[in-house]
Amino acid sequence: MAVSSILLIAAVAFLFSPAAALTCTSQTFSHKVAFTNCTDLPTLKASLHWTYEPAAKPNPTLSIAFIAPPANPDGWVAWALNPTAPGMIGSQALVAFKQSNGSTVVKTYNISAYGPISESKISYEVLEKSAEYSNGVFTIFAKLVLPEAEEVNQVWQVGSSVKDGVPLKHAFAADNLASKGTLQFTSRSVLAPAPSPSPNSAAALPPQDGKNGAGSSRVGLSGLVVCGVLGLVGASILML
């Protein structure tokens, strides 16, 4: 009886936990903007929505919405492209945080070295940029002008604090260090995470309905998990 009650409580708690949350395909935006692709990034509970326009003149453009919770409510989130290397140094970053008056801002930073950063122009022309904060999550919107390319390195990050309008350093946990990958602009527009896949990893599937294959597979896995939990709930109720 007691064991059944514990199982029931645990199962119900799971249904309302972040592990049961929907993926990027369910995310919507306040001003009804839509993107061609989206993916759930492999670390820091982040998602990326993007549209690449190779025919834009005079150069291709990339429109993005980056979504992530900061490490603390008064922290920051960042998304960046790195034209020179697959890591932080050299990244051209968009960083969102709340100012002292409570408003949300997104600033640009050219990350040229480890240590304190200061606001600066980046190597990509920024046509649009804005940020929102709602329900503990930041969303960065931006439209960048890019040189012609098939892929580009990207980095994302979150931090816990901002002092005098300057984001302070982030943690160095495994997820923070693994928050990098390659954004591909070829026909499948998939995001390849930086960590090497395990020998048993399945091959990436092409996207469906304009969405990244990784997001679709996570929806299926989440569905199976939720079904299993619901079965556990039913079994627990019968045992009460």
Side-chain angles (χ1 to χ4, degrees):
M1 185 84 171
V3 173
S4 300
S5 299
I6 293 172
L7 289 174
L8 176 60
I9 293 170
V12 172
F14 175 85
L15 290 175
F16 292 95
S17 71
L22 297 176
T23 61
C24 71
T25 56
S26 69
Q27 293 169 334
T28 57
F29 305 104
S30 59
H31 47 289
K32 308 298 182 183
V33 65
F35 296 88
T36 304
N37 307 280
C38 82
T39 189
D40 294 311
L41 298 172
T43 61
L44 303 178
K45 302 178 182 178
S47 299
L48 180 70
H49 298 249
W50 81 97
T51 298
Y52 179 63
E53 299 179 87
K57 301 297 182 182
N59 294 104
T61 60
L62 175 68
S63 299
I64 66 98
F66 171 74
I67 304 172
N72 282 325
D74 293 326
W76 54 268
V77 307
W79 177 84
L81 295 178
N82 191 330
T84 60
M88 184 182 78
I89 301 302
S91 63
Q92 308 298 297
L94 299 163
V95 183
F97 55 89
K98 289 185 288 185
Q99 301 187 100
S100 57
N101 62 6
S103 64
T104 302
V105 67
V106 55
K107 296 185 178 182
T108 56
Y109 298 85
N110 181 347
I111 310 298
S112 58
Y114 294 104
I117 61 175
S118 58
E119 184 179 7
S120 60
K121 290 185 176 181
I122 60 176
S123 62
Y124 301 103
E125 181 181 359
V126 182
L127 299 179
E128 302 170 8
K129 63 181 176 71
S130 62
E132 298 177 353
Y133 183 80
S134 178
N135 298 320
V137 174
F138 279 108
T139 302
I140 296 176
F141 297 98
K143 186 173 185 178
L144 309 177
V145 177
L146 305 182
E148 292 187 10
E150 292 187 355
E151 64 181 33
V152 65
N153 300 308
Q154 71 166 340
V155 183
W156 60 98
Q157 196 56 257
V158 302
S160 60
S161 59
V162 176
K163 183 178 181 181
D164 298 327
V166 179
L168 300 184
K169 68 179 181 180
H170 59 79
F172 289 87
D175 275 2
N176 298 92
L177 299 178
S179 295
K180 54 188 177 180
T182 302
L183 184 61
Q184 298 179 351
F185 301 136
T186 52
S187 59
R188 290 193 298 164
S189 293
V190 299
L191 181 140
S196 301
S198 66
N200 297 324
S201 296
L205 297 176
Q208 300 176 0
D209 299 328
K211 305 300 182 184
N212 178 269
S216 300
S217 64
R218 292 187 185 194
V219 170
L221 179 59
S222 297
L224 290 174
V225 172
V226 171
C227 287
V229 172
L230 290 175
L232 179 60
V233 172
S236 300
I237 291 173
L238 291 176
M239 295 173 64
L240 291 176

